[in-house]
C-alpha cells in the first residue's frame, strides 16, 4: 500500500458529527486531512505527526475537530468532526508524507506526497 485510504464519509445534519478514518502507510511521518469543493481550492483541515504526536488545525475548524491516531496502529488516523454545518460539505482527502521533516507537519498541499481518493461529506441544513 502506498496511497492512504479514506473511509467514513457520508451525510449528516447541521449540528451533527462524523468521524473519518484514514489507513495511512507504514513509514508515514505526517498524515493530514484536506477538503475540497467545486468552488474552493483544496484546504488543509488537520494534521498529525505520527512519531511526535503533534497536532495541527486550521482556524476554520479549531475547536470542532479532533485528529487522532490509532492506539494499536499509529498510522490509522481519525478525524472526528462535530457541530457540522453546510460549509463543511466537501470531498475530504487523506494525505501522507514519508519524508522526514524534523517531526513537523503542515497544512499545505506541497508538504504531502501521497493522496487518497477522497470521501464525500455532505451536511444538510
Amino acid at each position: 500500500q502506498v496511497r492512504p485510504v479514506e473511509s467514513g464519509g457520508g451525510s449528516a445534519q447541521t449540528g451533527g458529527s462524523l468521524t473519518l478514518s484514514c489507513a495511512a502507510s507504514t513509514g508515514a511521518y505526517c498524515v493530514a486531512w484536506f477538503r475540497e469543493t467545486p468552488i474552493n481550492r483544496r484546504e488543509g483541515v488537520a494534521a498529525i505527526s505520527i512519531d511526535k504526536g503533534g497536532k495541527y488545525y486550521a482556524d476554520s475548524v479549531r475547536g470542532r475537530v479532533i485528529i487522532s491516531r490509532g492506539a494499536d496502529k499509529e498510522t490509522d488516523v481519525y478525524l472526528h468532526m462535530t457541530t457540522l454545518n453546510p460549509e463543511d460539505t466537501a470531498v475530504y482527502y487523506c494525505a501522507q508524507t514519508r519524508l522526514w521533516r524534523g517531526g513537523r507537519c503542515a497544512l499545505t498541499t506541497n508538504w504531502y506526497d501521497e493522496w487518497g481518493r477522497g470521501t464525500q461529506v455532505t451536511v444538510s441544513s
Side-chain angles (χ1 to χ4, degrees):
Q1 173 192 344
V2 174
R3 182 193 299 270
V5 179
E6 306 97 338
S7 61
S11 299
Q13 298 280 339
T14 295
S17 62
L18 275 177
T19 297
L20 306 182
S21 302
C22 173
S25 302
T26 299
Y29 285 111
C30 290
V31 178
W33 285 95
F34 288 77
R35 63 186 181 185
E36 185 175 317
T37 70
I39 298 175
N40 297 322
R41 62 179 173 80
R42 195 168 294 191
E43 65 169 353
V45 176
I48 188 167
S49 169
I50 297 299
D51 59 332
K52 299 293 186 181
K55 300 179 182 181
Y56 307 76
Y57 295 99
D59 290 341
S60 60
V61 300
R62 193 181 305 276
R64 300 193 296 119
V65 165
I66 296 174
I67 190 168
S68 62
R69 54 188 177 177
D72 295 331
K73 188 176 181 184
E74 289 183 331
T75 51
D76 285 340
V77 173
Y78 305 96
L79 186 73
H80 182 60
M81 302 185 291
T82 63
T83 321
L84 289 166
N85 59 69
E87 288 69 41
D88 294 317
T89 296
V91 177
Y92 284 72
Y93 295 90
C94 182
Q96 66 186 24
T97 180
R98 291 182 283 171
L99 296 177
W100 169 253
R101 292 189 173 97
R104 294 175 295 115
C105 299
L107 290 175
T108 56
T109 55
N110 60 8
W111 199 264
Y112 299 90
D113 315 291
E114 293 149 343
W115 293 79
R117 299 187 185 279
T119 185
Q120 177 71 46
V121 170
T122 302
V123 182
S124 57
S125 56

